């Protein structure tokens, strides 16, 4: 079978594909056009898809009828119309677990950076604005004993909650599709409604899978109901928050700070007024960007491809229904 790997990945992934004697197609240039990308997709049976830009929807599947499987190099699968793929028996794989530590580390990092206005203070040093000691200058807030609210308590959310509890003795509340028994038992996490989550948290961290129904769920009317000391952390998908409303909420003092590893759109415009605020820290979607996580993602994505090519079930399949008769 022919596998189109649309961008470079760590070598261990390519090795796995080669050892399985799969024919690998790679882009001819480093920055292929949309047309070149589509041409390569048309030639392939399976796509190992890296990055969130390419959308796999009805139009795409109509244009590339040969495609039998998509192995995503990500845990998120919002770039695929899963319903449409499943209808066409196209298996979709993703890379859960291998990036949970790295991504939760970034959520934890952002929370601390925002609580001490780290980005802003680093810029101050770099721009030569480190002035005399001032007892009232740019005070941060401590996290000890505060309440962490998690939206979407799966593996990444669990790891974030575990770190916050261990480091700062934070209380954990969460809202999810279902109860997370392990978190309730091990971290004393309490399941709450979405309303209770937004009204009672001191820090909110999003770790849910993004679907279009959740677009802009963090908007003006929601930010208004949060605590004024709230730190908003998004390492999931930029679509969850309305960026203009987030800016207004920060400016008006409805909430205290924000740490974003994902923005809407990406990349963020470097003139965004959010970047001017002292209580904001923005990172360029680096949640899974560690050597360990990326090599785990390469392995799992390649294993998904190989399993599918051999007629076996993908080890991490988003739509296992495709294997049913
Ligand atoms: C993921 O794995 O979903 C990360 O956000 C990288 O896209």
């Amino acid at each position: 079978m022919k596998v189109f790997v649309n961008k470079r990945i760590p070598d261990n992934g390519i090795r796995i594909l080669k050892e399985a004697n799969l024919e690998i197609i790679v882009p001819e240039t480093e920055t292929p056009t949309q047309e070149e990308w589509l041409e390569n997709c048309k030639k392939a049976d399976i796509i190992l898809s890296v990055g969130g830009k390419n959308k796999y929807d009805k139009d795409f599947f109509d244009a590339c009828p040969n495609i039998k499987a998509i192995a995503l190099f990500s845990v998120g699968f919002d770039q695929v119309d899963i319903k449409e793929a499943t209808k066409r028996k196209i298996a979709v794989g993703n890379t859960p677990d291998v990036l949970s530590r790295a991504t939760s580390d970034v959520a934890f990092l952002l929370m601390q950076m925002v609580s001490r206005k780290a980005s802003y203070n680093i810029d101050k040093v770099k721009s030569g604005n480190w002035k005399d000691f001032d007892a009232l200058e740019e005070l941060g807030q401590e996290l000890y004993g505060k309440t962490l609210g998690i939206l979407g308590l799966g593996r990444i959310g669990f790891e974030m909650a575990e770190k916050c509890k261990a480091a700062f003795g934070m209380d954990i509340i969460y809202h999810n599709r279902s109860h997370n028994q392990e978190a309730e038992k091990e971290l004393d996490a309490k399941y709450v409604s979405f309303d209770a989550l937004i009204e009672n948290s001191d820090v909110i961290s999003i770790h849910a899978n993004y679907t279009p129904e959740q677009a802009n769920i963090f908007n003006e009317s929601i930010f208004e109901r949060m605590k004024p000391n709230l730190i908003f952390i998004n390492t999931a998908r930029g679509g969850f928050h309305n960026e203009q409303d987030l800016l207004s909420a920060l400016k008006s003092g409805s909430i205290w700070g924000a740490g974003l590893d994902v923005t809407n759109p990406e990349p963020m415009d470097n003139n965004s007024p959010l970047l001017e605020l002292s209580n904001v820290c923005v990172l360029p979607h680096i949640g899974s960007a560690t050597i360990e996580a990326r090599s785990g993602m390469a392995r799992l994505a390649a294993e998904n491809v190989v399993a599918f090519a051999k007629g076996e079930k993908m080890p991490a399949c988003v739509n296992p229904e495709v294997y049913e008769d």
Side-chain angles (χ1 to χ4, degrees):
M1 283 205 188
K2 289 186 189 155
V3 186
F4 173 39
V5 183
N6 70 323
K7 275 187 177 188
R8 62 185 190 159
I9 60 167
D11 286 345
N12 62 323
I14 298 294
R15 251 192 326 270
I16 292 170
L17 299 178
K18 284 188 176 158
E19 277 163 17
N21 291 322
L22 291 164
E23 188 179 330
I24 304 170
I25 305 168
V26 291
E28 286 83 49
T29 62
E30 263 181 38
T31 48
T33 61
Q34 188 71 5
E35 287 72 33
E36 286 164 340
W37 167 76
L38 194 60
E39 279 317 304
N40 279 324
C41 290
K42 283 181 184 163
K43 288 185 221 154
D45 300 287
I46 305 173
I47 305 172
L48 195 160
S49 179
V50 188
K53 279 219 174 93
N54 303 124
K55 302 287 169 227
Y56 302 104
D57 54 12
K58 185 176 180 305
D59 290 345
F60 172 84
F61 295 129
D62 283 345
C64 302
N66 204 35
I67 290 298
K68 300 165 185 66
I70 300 173
L72 298 169
F73 187 87
S74 63
V75 66
F77 44 86
D78 48 302
Q79 64 272 50
V80 185
D81 182 337
I82 297 293
K83 227 168 139 186
E84 190 63 35
T86 308
K87 203 167 92 186
R88 296 172 188 241
K89 295 260 177 206
I90 295 170
V92 180
N94 68 341
T95 59
D97 301 331
V98 290
L99 46 62
S100 301
R101 275 191 177 169
T103 306
S104 60
D105 283 348
V106 166
F108 189 68
L109 171 72
L110 282 170
M111 177 182 72
Q112 290 188 84
M113 288 192 75
V114 173
S115 77
R116 300 304 297 270
K117 309 187 180 198
S119 281
Y120 171 79
N121 282 308
I122 292 167
D123 285 348
K124 242 177 155 176
V125 178
K126 285 189 178 166
S127 59
N129 283 318
W130 182 357
K131 301 272 159 53
D132 268 358
F133 176 83
D134 181 338
L136 297 181
E137 172 81 355
E138 292 302 346
L139 303 186
Q141 56 163 315
E142 296 186 13
L143 297 161
Y144 297 94
K146 299 259 168 92
T147 298
L148 169 71
I150 296 213
L151 180 68
L153 189 45
R155 277 325 299 175
I156 302 174
F158 185 94
E159 299 251 0
M160 170 66 169
E162 196 174 39
K163 284 188 246 285
C164 290
K165 198 163 187 73
F168 299 112
M170 294 175 82
D171 293 322
I172 315 296
I173 59 177
Y174 74 102
H175 184 69
N176 214 15
R177 273 172 315 192
S178 55
H179 281 256
N180 185 320
Q181 309 289 357
E182 190 188 357
E184 292 186 8
K185 194 161 157 244
E186 288 183 23
L187 306 175
D188 197 24
K190 306 262 183 312
Y191 183 94
V192 295
S193 64
F194 182 69
D195 286 343
L197 187 90
I198 56 165
E199 285 166 7
N200 297 309
S201 301
D202 299 303
V203 177
I204 287 192
S205 192
I206 308 176
H207 298 287
N209 263 323
Y210 180 73
T211 60
E213 297 76 54
Q214 290 160 310
N216 294 324
I217 56 168
F218 288 94
N219 56 40
E220 187 185 2
S221 66
I222 298 295
F223 288 128
E224 271 172 3
R225 290 164 56 200
M226 291 176 171
K227 288 186 173 183
N229 66 316
L230 187 278
I231 296 176
F232 176 76
I233 303 293
N234 191 357
T235 55
R237 285 291 181 267
F240 276 109
H241 65 255
N242 180 307
E243 218 132 293
Q244 191 53 47
D245 290 0
L246 175 62
L247 176 69
S248 309
L250 287 161
K251 280 188 153 171
S252 69
S254 295
I255 69 169
W256 194 82
L260 309 176
D261 186 44
V262 289
T263 60
N264 192 9
E266 287 185 16
M268 177 183 252
D269 180 348
N270 66 341
N271 291 315
S272 165
L274 276 170
L275 298 172
E276 312 264 302
L277 303 183
S278 63
N279 299 359
V280 171
C281 177
V282 182
L283 295 174
H285 204 146
I286 57 159
S288 66
T290 64
I291 295 163
E292 293 83 354
R294 289 283 160 86
S295 109
M297 291 162 78
R299 176 185 51 74
L300 189 47
E303 284 173 358
N304 276 338
V305 169
V306 172
F308 182 84
K310 283 183 179 165
E312 294 166 7
K313 198 166 166 189
M314 288 179 168
C317 187
V318 175
N319 56 349
E321 309 91 282
V322 295
Y323 291 99
E324 292 160 14
D325 288 327

